[in-house]
């Protein structure tokens, strides 16, 4: 997936989408031991919400992303971070650079997720940890209804392409990814998330700001994408117009073996 898909509406992504995943970021940063004296790379850092949490926990933080517009917002959120424009599949860092590498909801969008996770394992030090997160299975996420609403608009090519948000969502998918990269002692867990918006318009804009939203707009135009999302979000909307979607995310963590 290219940068243009994630960079069309960076403010909406930063303000309406990324904060919904805060409990996931907090849980995983705790599991990996993010804290004073540790160096952390967030691979696919987006607009830097998780980087802010890691920096506040005391980490020295580096973020990498393919989308310059999101990195621009990350620079505002986390001025102390080193931010690098680059690809998950070819990380521009020396071997064994970081104590911790996290990939929050990013590896499914890599050109080759296995290669990208191999890169994460390469740049973490021996004895350091790598964590990856993504949606649990599609049927356990209410927001899947919104992805499904956009699929007919995007057309067959995008629908069948390899950049699917659920590419690693089958049970064991993340654990296999980390194991294949040579990481050991892999453990996994789940975090329930409530994606809450005060209006239907905010919920729709959050999805339009994603890569999938941008692809639907490019293929069918914004009015059609808005209409499809507004219809799909109706069943998650209360009488006051507030939206809540209950989702489940999964994470896996593995350690690079010592020599
Ligand atoms: C679903 S967003 C996740 C953002 C943030 N980590 C979060 O969890 O909210 C996917 C992110 O991956 C980035 N991305 C997609 N393909 C990429 C690639 N090949 N290399 C680097 N970043 C990529 C996008 O720009 C976007 O910031």
């Amino acid at each position: 997936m290219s940068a243009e898909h994630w960079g069309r509406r960076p403010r909406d992504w930063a303000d309406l989408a990324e904060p919904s995943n805060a409990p996931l970021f907090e849980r995983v940063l705790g599991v990996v031991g993010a804290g004073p004296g540790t160096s952390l790379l967030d691979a696919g850092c987006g607009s830097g919400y998780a980087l802010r949490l890691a920096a506040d926990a005391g980490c020295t933080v580096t973020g990498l992303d393919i989308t310059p517009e999101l990195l621009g917002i990350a620079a505002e959120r986390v001025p102390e971070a080193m931010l690098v424009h680059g690809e998950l599949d070819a990380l521009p860092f020396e071997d064994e650079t970081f104590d911790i590498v996290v990939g929050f909801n990013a590896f499914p969008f890599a050109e080759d997720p296995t290669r990208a996770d191999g890169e994460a394992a390469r740049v973490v030090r021996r004895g350091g940890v790598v964590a990856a997160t993504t949606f649990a299975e599609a049927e356990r996420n209410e927001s899947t209804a919104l992805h499904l609403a956009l699929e007919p608009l995007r057309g067959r090519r995008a629908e069948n392409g390899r950049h699917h948000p659920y590419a690693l969502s089958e049970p064991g998918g993340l654990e296999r990814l980390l194991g294949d990269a040579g990481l050991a002692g892999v453990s996994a867990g789940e975090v329930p998330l409530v994606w809450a918006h005060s209006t239907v318009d905010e919920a729709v804009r959050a999805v339009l700001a994603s890569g999938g939203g941008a692809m639907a707009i490019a293929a069918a135009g914004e009015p059609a994408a808005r209409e499809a999302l507004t219809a799909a979000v109706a069943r998650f909307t209360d009488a006051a117009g507030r939206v809540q979607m209950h989702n489940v995310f999964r994470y896996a963590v593995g350690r690079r073996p010592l020599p």
Side-chain angles (χ1 to χ4, degrees), residues 4-189:
E4 71 186 277
H5 291 118
W6 292 95
R8 292 267 170 84
R9 293 149 193 250
R11 279 289 157 201
D12 278 354
W13 177 263
D15 296 342
L16 302 176
E18 221 167 84
S20 299
N21 296 334
L24 174 71
F25 303 149
E26 284 161 1
R27 170 81 71 85
V28 172
L29 290 174
V31 170
V32 298
T38 59
S39 59
L40 176 143
L41 169 67
D42 184 353
C45 65
S47 58
Y49 197 101
L51 274 180
R52 181 68 267 155
L53 296 176
D56 288 345
C59 298
T60 303
V61 292
T62 302
L64 172 133
D65 205 279
I66 200 174
T67 306
E69 294 86 350
L70 293 177
L71 286 172
I73 297 176
E76 292 170 13
R77 273 184 172 158
V78 200
E80 65 269 53
M82 176 189 283
L83 296 169
V84 179
H85 180 230
E87 293 259 359
L88 293 163
D89 300 75
L91 294 177
F93 304 108
E94 299 289 323
D95 295 0
E96 303 180 38
T97 301
F98 303 99
D99 298 316
I100 300 164
V101 178
V102 290
F104 287 117
N105 316 319
F107 290 122
F109 301 106
E111 197 69 25
D112 176 348
T114 303
R115 189 168 63 215
D117 200 54
E119 281 289 273
R122 178 184 66 76
V123 303
V124 80
R125 69 166 168 77
R126 292 169 196 273
V129 289
V130 174
T133 79
T134 193
F135 287 106
E137 303 92 298
E139 59 273 20
R140 296 176 63 201
N141 287 280
E142 289 184 338
S143 68
T144 299
L146 281 66
H147 290 289
L148 291 176
L150 293 180
E151 273 187 9
L153 304 184
R154 289 203 299 262
R156 287 184 64 78
R157 257 187 86 193
E159 185 181 332
N160 296 331
R162 61 182 177 278
H163 300 296
H164 193 282
Y166 300 102
L168 299 169
S169 296
E170 80 279 8
L174 289 177
E175 293 93 312
R176 198 162 37 253
L177 186 79
L178 269 56
D180 287 350
L183 298 164
V186 176
S187 61

Side-chain angles (χ1 to χ4, degrees), residues 231-248:
V233 95
R235 60 191 245 232
F236 308 113
T237 307
D238 68 15
R242 287 184 298 257
V243 178
Q244 278 203 352
M245 288 173 281
H246 294 83
N247 290 333
V248 181

